[in-house]
Amino acid sequence: MAGGIFGRLRAMLFGPPEIRTLYVEEDLWGEVEVLPVANAEWCRAEFDKIAAFSGEHRAPDGAGWTDIYLRKPPPAPLADLGIPLAPTLEALGERLPRFDVVTSGSFYSPEPVAGACAFGPSPKTALIVIGNTDETIVKALPVLADEDDGATRLMVALEALPSCGGLIVVDWVRRELIPFQPSGNE
């Protein structure tokens, strides 16, 4: 019998194993993401459009904005690179602790995010991997990065992705691009 008396005794003495959960606030999705380097100029143009839109729609009292800018999808989606999902999960899992579940939505009622896996040193610093519908390639790679909480470890892990050509980390809030070249093997 799996677990048996020793399993029950261990559960009584130590409690259930801790489930490592990553909660991603709705507003943080997409603030930082990994994209193909082919999008670099498009990203720079979007930075300028966002800044101009923000200036034009600043609330008269200075407390917020009167409208929001919605970015369109990039011209070269990450999925177009065909980064294999299983080797990506393996490479990240060798370098960063894996979260058991990824949730989002309301803080008081978070819901699991279907098809998402996450790796990182803390709930403030993680790489989220979302596969395509048949779970064979990476569709999206959002990033949570608190620079004081292990962001360097995320970059080292990203560089170990299966080789697929140049990539960039795009920080839409700070208007920054960080290029890198994965060196992992497929």
Side-chain angles (χ1 to χ4, degrees):
M1 171 170 13
I5 186 73
F6 294 113
R8 289 192 299 277
L9 181 59
R10 186 176 17 246
M12 287 173 40
L13 293 174
F14 303 108
E18 186 175 321
I19 295 176
R20 200 159 179 257
T21 301
L22 178 67
Y23 171 71
V24 183
E25 186 182 333
E26 296 169 304
D27 292 342
L28 297 180
W29 281 104
E31 279 193 351
V32 182
E33 65 182 325
V34 175
L35 291 174
V37 74
N39 292 302
E41 288 308 313
W42 175 81
C43 291
R44 288 185 186 96
E46 283 296 293
F47 291 157
D48 293 341
K49 289 177 188 176
I50 292 167
F53 188 92
S54 176
E56 293 166 8
H57 292 89
R58 190 80 174 149
D61 63 1
W65 292 266
T66 59
D67 200 358
I68 61 171
Y69 183 87
L70 297 176
R71 288 189 320 271
K72 294 189 177 19
L78 189 63
D80 286 358
L81 294 179
I83 303 169
L85 183 61
T88 296
L89 298 177
E90 183 179 335
L92 294 177
E94 290 172 357
R95 288 157 183 83
L96 297 167
R98 186 174 182 149
F99 287 89
D100 298 309
V101 64
V102 179
T103 63
S104 190
S106 161
F107 180 76
Y108 298 103
S109 183
E111 297 286 330
V113 178
C117 296
F119 303 85
S122 82
K124 293 181 179 182
T125 307
L127 299 172
I128 304 160
V129 181
I130 300 172
N132 63 345
T133 52
D134 63 357
E135 298 186 358
T136 57
I137 62 169
V138 176
K139 178 181 175 183
L141 239 166
V143 179
L144 294 179
D146 180 342
E147 62 189 350
D148 296 331
D149 201 31
T152 301
R153 290 182 65 191
L154 298 185
M155 286 305 298
V156 169
L158 284 170
E159 289 172 348
L161 291 177
S163 186
C164 60
L167 296 172
I168 51 175
V169 175
V170 184
D171 185 334
W172 292 104
V173 175
R174 291 175 188 84
R175 298 177 56 182
E176 294 179 6
L177 299 178
I178 303 169
F180 68 98
Q181 179 67 44
S183 59
N185 297 321
E186 289 188 35

